[in-house]
């Protein structure tokens, strides 16, 4: 399965290619309650698609086991300010749009990303 990388300020396009360990993937963990969690990426395949995430306690879990819906959103660590970005790891949200906004607020200005 793949996820969409959220690129700011432009909208996301296509499946994720280029995830690395430490990026975040937002996935629905409970469709009944509408809970979403931003998981740190543990490992990726040769195409850069997320294969596994890591829990707070260091357990590695296949992405399919933590996701209750097909929709996923990816956020690259290099596109965000480091400390605020890692503070979103394992954070839960009741709406994916809220998560996207929260991570947009810690995104680097495109001029910062080029430096």
């Amino acid at each position: 399965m793949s996820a969409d990388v959220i690129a700011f300020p432009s909208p996301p396009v296509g499946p994720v290619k280029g995830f690395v360990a430490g990026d975040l993937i937002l996935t629905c963990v409970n469709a009944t309650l509408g809970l979403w969690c931003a998981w740190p990426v543990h490992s990726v395949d040769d195409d850069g698609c997320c294969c596994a995430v890591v829990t707070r306690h260091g357990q590695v879990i296949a992405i399919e086991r933590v996701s209750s819906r097909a929709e996923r959103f990816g956020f690259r660590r290099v596109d965000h300010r480091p400390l605020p970005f890692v503070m979103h790891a394992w954070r839960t949200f009741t709406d994916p749009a809220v998560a996207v906004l929260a991570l947009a607020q810690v995104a680097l200005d495109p001029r910062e990303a080029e430096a």
Side-chain angles (χ1 to χ4, degrees):
M1 297 189 120
S2 63
D4 291 330
V5 169
I6 305 300
F8 297 101
S10 58
V13 286
V16 160
K17 299 278 183 173
F19 261 131
V20 296
D23 289 346
L24 293 178
I25 188 162
L26 179 71
T27 185
C28 184
V29 293
N30 186 317
T32 303
L33 298 176
L35 290 178
W36 292 73
C37 183
W39 295 94
V41 173
H42 176 270
S43 56
V44 298
D45 65 13
D46 288 342
D47 290 328
C49 293
C50 179
C51 294
V53 295
V54 63
T55 69
R56 280 188 193 273
H57 304 292
Q59 288 180 291
V60 177
I61 302 175
I63 187 66
E64 289 82 14
R65 292 188 55 212
V66 298
S67 183
S68 64
R69 291 178 49 178
E71 299 91 358
R72 296 182 186 145
F73 303 92
F75 303 90
R76 289 189 179 101
R77 180 179 48 193
V78 297
D79 296 334
H80 296 80
R81 294 192 315 270
L83 184 58
F85 182 74
V86 294
M87 292 178 71
H88 287 290
W90 304 292
R91 185 172 169 199
T92 56
F93 301 88
T94 55
D95 186 324
V98 173
V100 170
L101 277 173
L103 282 147
Q105 292 174 343
V106 300
L108 290 172
D109 180 287
R111 295 170 295 211
E112 292 176 297
E114 292 172 2

